[in-house]
Amino acid sequence: MQALSPPPSSSSLSSSIVGTSRRRRPPTGPLVVHCIHRSYDSVNFPAGVVSSRSDWQSSCAILSSKVVGQEQPPENSIASVNGHKTIDLDLVPSSNNGNRPLPLQKPLTITDLAPAPMHGSQLRVAYQGVPGAYSEAAAGKAYPKCEAIPCDQFEVAFQAVELWIADRAVLPVENSLGGSIHRNYDLLLRHRLHIVGEVQLPVHHCLMALPGVRKEYITRVISHPQALAQCEHTLTKLGLQAAREAVDDTAGAAEYIAANNLRDTAAIASARAAELYGMQILADGIQDDCGNVTRFVMLAREPIIPRTDRPFKTSIVFAHDKGTSVLFKVLSAFAFRNINLTKIESRPHRNRPIRLVDDANVGTAKHFEYLFYVDFEASMAEVRAQNALAEVQEFASFLRVLGSYPMDMTPWSPSGGD
Ligand SMILES: O=C(O)C(=O)C[C@]1(C(=O)O)C=C[C@@H](O)C=C1
């Protein structure tokens, strides 16, 4: 795999897209963290939408126009959005004022408008981690012939798509054992990318160390916090007297041990990571449950056109200002239309974390405010979904459709293990 460097015009940006073999980092403390645009934290979204979001969008536009100017097609080129670089999108031919033949105009088809899968040109897919990470495998499952682009943190994967360095990002959102990956829920809201698909990946973990190292020598186990959580009981059962330490990604843990010749440290990572970094597998299938599966979402700059000819899922996020009592009414908008909810997640409402309720007699109650992320099994092309959202909107102070996309219907194959 080839490491992608930021375009020359982005010299003011940090080099955050990581390559295959260059990164060496300590397993403790913050790992390499390079944000392309650090003013995210000051983006007050959704409450402060008007000023700060427009600031953010204009800075982003400047950054992305630099990138576009150097090596990318213009933002309004559908052909490049979808990777069909050979299609001429000059839809209105200018007058033929020379004897120059007019370019042949091919009508756009539905596949030109659908962002995936690609036909011919290689799709660039950003993921968090280094080669051998599960996210890389998920990128390969979602887009089989893609060029997977490693990024050192989730936020960078979002930015890589926004700045046209990548066409898609594939990011984990939940795991069957470890639960939700909250960071990505928060980032979905802060960025303007659209969910265009999902993949579920069975996650099969291995315990690995340098060749010749025996289990008894291991004093610490390093991995991604989700992977450590997914193997917690098995690690205890294996009788390891080892401290657990969290690092940015599973494969990065294996890479770090190999690069620093650590003979007292083991990593939890994939068999592919063991192979890539010359590690020896000490135990295979150490996840606590053989049904260990992580769900990833695919993100793009443009939404896809929702359809009704196959099962679709829609993801939304909303807030309301009447406390959680309204939640029942909101959710019943789906129940009355027989729309199945597959997930509900609440996150702190960053811009309005507390709602104060004054009662002169007893004091001031401080209620926490939440944003609710809901996935439901229907396409936005269906009238019942449109009606349900119209009803939700009546109760919501804020509502955004994150995406309406085909459900992953691949047959279930568990990851193995005990
Ligand atoms: O560290 C990796 O290999 C990742 O791809 C990240 C990640 C995660 O964030 O949940 C992905 C799948 C597994 O659940 C464990 C870790």
Side-chain angles (χ1 to χ4, degrees):
M1 178 179 313
Q2 213 192 341
L4 189 106
S5 324
S9 62
S10 58
S11 55
S12 60
L13 314 179
S14 319
S15 171
S16 306
I17 312 293
V18 297
T20 51
S21 59
R22 75 283 102 215
R23 209 158 43 110
R24 300 287 173 262
R25 65 214 178 162
T28 51
L31 299 177
V32 183
V33 171
H34 298 304
C35 258
I36 290 178
H37 191 284
R38 288 184 186 276
S39 67
Y40 276 116
D41 290 341
S42 62
V43 173
N44 296 320
F45 181 69
V49 156
V50 181
S51 62
S52 44
R53 174 150 289 281
S54 56
D55 286 353
W56 155 243
Q57 279 172 335
S58 52
S59 5
C60 208
I62 292 162
L63 290 175
S64 85
S65 67
K66 287 184 188 170
V67 177
V68 169
Q70 287 289 324
E71 58 179 37
Q72 298 295 341
E75 182 114 8
N76 59 4
S77 161
I78 296 171
S80 62
V81 169
N82 296 322
H84 299 271
K85 295 198 175 94
T86 53
I87 293 176
D88 187 346
L89 279 185
D90 185 10
L91 296 176
V92 186
S94 54
S95 62
N96 194 7
N97 51 3
N99 286 329
R100 200 161 42 93
L102 284 172
L104 274 181
Q105 299 276 308
K106 268 204 277 168
L108 286 177
T109 65
I110 190 80
T111 42
D112 297 324
L113 298 173
M118 301 300 300
H119 304 285
S121 61
Q122 212 183 6
L123 196 75
R124 297 157 306 169
V125 181
Y127 69 94
Q128 188 267 336
V130 296
Y134 296 101
S135 297
E136 185 201 38
K141 183 175 178 191
Y143 302 107
K145 293 209 172 89
C146 72
E147 178 196 349
I149 302 177
C151 300
D152 68 356
Q153 49 172 316
F154 291 134
E155 181 141 27
V156 174
F158 276 83
Q159 292 173 337
V161 179
E162 285 168 338
L163 298 179
W164 292 78
I165 293 165
D167 305 298
R168 304 280 182 278
V170 171
L171 296 166
V173 284
E174 59 180 320
N175 172 267
S176 54
L177 292 173
S180 289
I181 291 132
H182 294 134
R183 177 81 184 133
N184 281 336
Y185 278 95
D186 296 343
L187 287 171
L188 275 172
L189 191 63
R190 289 218 223 164
H191 292 262
R192 278 279 155 186
L193 297 182
H194 303 266
I195 303 179
V196 295
E198 65 168 7
V199 277
Q200 283 155 4
L201 187 82
V203 173
H204 183 97
H205 289 301
C206 303
L207 183 73
M208 60 192 70
L210 286 172
V213 170
R214 302 217 317 252
K215 256 191 261 171
E216 306 81 79
Y217 303 156
I218 304 295
T219 58
R220 79 181 164 159
V221 177
I222 62 175
S223 196
H224 186 282
Q226 276 279 344
L228 289 169
Q230 291 161 26
C231 302
E232 183 157 347
H233 298 303
T234 315
L235 283 182
T236 309
K237 272 195 265 166
L238 282 173
L240 286 179
Q241 302 294 316
R244 276 76 146 155
E245 281 180 26
V247 295
D248 262 8
D249 71 288
T250 55
E255 185 198 30
Y256 179 78
I257 292 173
N260 294 284
N261 196 26
L262 301 176
R263 304 193 69 78
D264 60 349
T265 307
I268 298 172
S270 64
R272 177 171 143 75
E275 196 186 313
L276 283 175
Y277 305 109
M279 304 287 280
Q280 169 203 353
I281 294 177
L282 298 174
D284 197 353
I286 59 163
Q287 61 280 356
D288 291 341
D289 190 289
C290 64
N292 188 29
V293 59
T294 300
R295 177 173 165 248
F296 294 78
V297 289
M298 289 104 91
L299 303 175
R301 288 179 292 274
E302 303 295 334
I304 56 166
I305 297 168
R307 294 159 64 152
T308 52
D309 57 351
R310 56 174 295 187
F312 259 62
K313 203 183 255 185
T314 300
S315 299
I316 60 167
V317 53
F318 64 89
H320 55 79
D321 31 26
K322 301 274 171 4
T324 42
S325 62
V326 172
L327 193 58
F328 173 78
K329 291 182 194 159
V330 169
L331 298 185
S332 62
F334 298 100
F336 287 137
R337 293 174 176 90
N338 278 328
I339 298 177
N340 220 10
L341 301 190
T342 55
K343 162 122 192 164
I344 177 160
E345 178 75 42
S346 64
R347 296 289 301 141
H349 196 319
R350 279 182 170 226
N351 301 106
R352 205 155 12 99
I354 299 285
R355 184 167 47 97
L356 301 178
V357 180
D358 274 327
D359 181 331
N361 294 326
V362 274
T364 307
K366 290 160 278 298
H367 297 299
F368 282 64
E369 289 287 6
Y370 302 99
L371 288 162
F372 296 95
Y373 291 80
V374 168
D375 292 346
F376 59 87
E377 278 180 332
S379 162
M380 279 313 293
E382 292 177 60
V383 174
R384 61 180 183 140
Q386 294 161 11
N387 289 341
L389 284 202
E391 199 171 316
V392 171
Q393 204 157 19
E394 285 175 26
F395 301 110
S397 54
F398 159 76
L399 170 67
R400 182 169 142 200
V401 177
L402 296 168
S404 193
Y405 49 90
M407 283 166 58
D408 181 353
M409 303 297 282
T410 49
W412 171 243
S413 58
S415 55
D418 47 295

